Each structure stands twice: as C-alpha cells, then as structure tokens.
Amino acid sequence: MVESASMHARLMRRATFRQLEIFEAVARLGSFSRAAEALFLTQPTVSMQVRKLTDVIGMPLFEQVGKRVYLTEAGRELYATCRELFRTVDAFEMTLANMRGLRQGALHIAGVTTAEYFLPRILGHFCQRYPGIEVSLEVTNREHALERLRANLDDIYIFGQPPDDVDVEALPFLENPLVVVAAADHELARARRIPVERVAREPFLMREPGSGTRLAAERFFAERRLAPRVRMELGSNEAIKQAVAGGLGVSVLSAHTLRAGEGDLVALDVIGFPLRRHWYLVYPHGKQLSIVARTFVEFALRDVEAARK
Ligand code: PGA
C-alpha cells in the first residue's frame, strides 16, 4: 500500500498542471470538443495532452461511447484528485490576494458627524496595525451619508441609527447615549430628575435638518407630545456646544461630543435621558466587502471591546 502510493506520487509528478487542467475540463464537461472550447484550445491539443497524461498514469482515463466520453475508474479517481488539488490552489490564490490587499489596499468610510469624536482613534489603531492601507474618512450628516450609501460610494458607513429605507447589514459596535446639554452655570445644572416638560420650556439649539441627532431629539419630544422651543439651528455639534456654553440654550447631543475636562458644559439629569442608542457599522446588504473592509469591521469590533475592558 505504502509502496503503491509512493509510486503513484512519482507518476503524478511527471504530469503537468496544464494536463490536469485539461483532463479536469474534459471530465467535467463530458466532451473533448467542449473542453477545447472552454479552454480556448484546439481539439487535437486537448486530445494530445490527455493522451500524454494517460501515458503517465499508465491506465485509460476515458471510455468513448458514441459522442460522449465517460471516466474509467482510474479517471474518476484522478478527477477527484484534480478537484481537490484545484480547490487547494484556489484557496492559496485567495490567501495571496488577501495578503496583497491588506498590504496596499484602500478603505473608504463615511461617518455621521459625531463619529469624528471616536472614529479617528479606532482608525489610528487600525493604521498602525496595517500601515499599507490608505484610509479616507468622509464626515457628514445622516442625510448625506445616506445618499452616499445609496450611491455605493464607500466601503463602510457609521450611523447612529441604521437606515430603514435601504436594505443594509448593521452591526452595533458602540453605545451612543444622547444627553441634554446645558452650560455649566445653567440654573438646571445641579437639578435632579428634571421632567422633560421643564426642558421643553428652555430655548433649544437644534442641529440642521438631515441630522440624525436632530431626528432622535425630535422623535423623543414628539412621542411625549412636546415640542422644544427651537431658538436656533446650527450645522454642527461643535457649533451647538459653543452656543450652549455661551448660554444661548440647551440641546440634545451624543455624550461622545462632551470631552472630559471641558468644564463649561454639563449633561442634565433629565427623566428619560440618556437616550440609549448605538453606533452601527453599516454596509449594503449583499455587498461583497473587500478584504480590507472586512478586516476593518472585525478590527473595530475588537478595538471597542478591548477599550471597554
Ligand atoms: P448626525 O448623526 O451627525 O447626522 O446628527 C448622528 C446620528 O445619526 O446619530
């Protein structure tokens, strides 16, 4: 048994990869002419290569019945061996492609504005680990990020709430509590268990239309049949923070926008807050993610997990 296996190995080494490819095509398609067509070869070339392979093996591989060819027992064994061999080679090629991709690929991310408070840190770690990957981050509001998603412009999107009108995969990866913010010297700053109705009487600073933060705040008030007294609309979290600190009113923002050590703003203790939300890594359902994008998704989930510990 050992001896015949090693003899077989020695025989097979005299066969060429090309011959095995040709044989596999004939076996799979059941015809020399169809194999020739599929491989862009002439039929005599196919026949000749199969004949050479048959000589190497020392046993007939096909039987001809009418126009169709059938595998002999040795042919069936060789066919199974070829399938196995090609599967292994394909897997190796895939591994190579992946290694190349991770060495010099590109990653395009579009994130809603609040993502800029935590995403660069994750991207920093990612770029340290994969220095060859070029990363671009488009920071924009929800509506614009949705437009980019519909146009399939980026690999990955970061949303505070998965879109409901586009079929997507959405992986929650980080908590995103929304809080009511006020100036540190606001009269409610030290109050406990503030009713929402009280907040609704304060001048309110609202994010621009199209903002996910705005949507969440509006929804929260509407569900309680309240409407905030909007004093001003501002187009970014930073602009809102400056206006709140300047005493122009209160607002609802992601707690991520409040950096430790910024003493001029506080999160108020309002009943019903913080609104418990998440950040989601999002991509269109069914989209074949590049190896770089897939690696980033796994990396981001792990990075956030590690930071929590
Ligand atoms: P925004 O996004 O920047 O559009 O407000 C935040 C979110 O979607 O939660």
Side-chain angles (χ1 to χ4, degrees):
M1 189 62 211
V2 172
E3 196 186 323
S4 75
S6 71
M7 270 170 60
H8 180 67
R10 278 202 299 274
L11 283 175
M12 282 305 288
R13 272 183 221 164
R14 290 186 359 234
T16 67
F17 202 80
R18 191 64 179 146
Q19 283 166 357
L20 295 176
E21 260 177 351
I22 292 171
F23 162 79
E24 192 274 342
V26 176
R28 179 164 38 86
L29 299 168
S31 140
F32 281 74
S33 56
R34 288 180 57 198
E37 224 174 83
L39 297 172
F40 302 105
L41 297 171
T42 63
Q43 193 171 331
T45 307
V46 170
S47 304
M48 187 180 66
Q49 293 300 332
V50 169
R51 205 169 326 117
K52 282 189 179 163
L53 185 61
T54 309
D55 289 346
V56 168
I57 304 286
M59 274 190 270
L61 300 170
F62 293 108
E63 281 166 349
Q64 180 104 27
V65 180
K67 279 201 164 159
R68 226 190 125 79
V69 290
Y70 292 91
L71 288 166
T72 61
E73 198 184 335
R76 272 200 300 280
E77 288 296 324
L78 181 60
Y79 183 50
T81 305
C82 285
R83 303 291 292 228
E84 190 64 37
L85 183 68
F86 296 154
R87 242 197 311 276
T88 309
V89 170
D90 284 351
F92 173 65
E93 274 180 0
M94 182 82 86
T95 308
L96 271 188
N98 289 349
M99 285 162 74
R100 261 184 237 124
L102 285 177
R103 240 182 266 140
Q104 48 181 237
L107 176 67
H108 302 287
I109 303 181
V112 287
T113 57
T114 318
E116 72 188 352
Y117 293 93
F118 62 88
L119 201 55
R121 186 183 55 81
I122 299 174
L123 286 175
H125 295 168
F126 184 72
C127 292
Q128 260 167 22
R129 173 74 184 78
Y130 302 102
I133 295 178
E134 232 172 82
V135 179
S136 73
L137 170 62
E138 173 86 18
V139 175
T140 172
N141 78 11
R142 176 181 174 83
E143 200 45 52
H144 190 215
L146 276 173
E147 275 165 29
R148 294 185 67 91
L149 170 71
R150 287 192 201 101
N152 195 21
L153 294 183
D154 310 277
D155 297 305
I156 302 285
Y157 301 82
I158 313 281
F159 282 104
Q161 189 183 317
D164 32 29
D165 57 340
V166 192
D167 196 9
V168 294
E169 299 290 341
L171 308 166
F173 76 111
L174 187 62
E175 280 159 17
N176 173 28
L178 297 191
V179 293
V180 180
V181 289
D185 58 2
H186 193 278
E187 59 168 306
L188 293 176
R190 285 172 202 287
R192 292 285 152 258
R193 317 256 326 130
I194 306 163
V196 192
E197 291 75 8
R198 176 69 189 81
V199 173
R201 289 206 299 274
E202 289 294 309
F204 197 90
L205 305 175
M206 191 62 110
R207 280 281 305 274
E208 78 286 3
S211 148
T213 310
R214 173 184 177 129
L215 213 64
E218 283 178 340
R219 217 172 267 166
F220 178 84
F221 285 111
E223 278 166 6
R224 283 151 189 81
R225 300 185 183 286
L226 293 167
R229 287 177 46 211
V230 178
R231 175 174 200 179
M232 202 185 283
E233 276 185 10
L234 294 125
S236 74
N237 292 312
E238 282 304 308
I240 298 241
K241 280 168 61 181
Q242 294 300 326
V244 171
L248 290 180
V250 299
S251 189
V252 169
L253 291 179
S254 165
H256 284 125
T257 65
L258 306 177
R259 280 187 222 99
E262 281 184 330
D264 47 359
L265 296 180
V266 286
L268 297 183
D269 180 7
V270 178
I271 296 171
F273 280 87
L275 300 188
R276 304 236 163 259
R277 298 172 88 222
H278 281 88
W279 293 110
Y280 294 85
L281 293 164
V282 172
Y283 54 91
H285 179 75
K287 176 171 171 133
Q288 181 84 38
L289 286 188
S290 72
I291 177 70
V292 175
R294 240 183 309 137
T295 305
F296 174 73
V297 168
E298 283 160 22
F299 186 92
L301 295 173
R302 270 202 316 271
D303 197 64
V304 166
E305 196 56 47
R308 204 173 280 142
K309 283 177 188 157

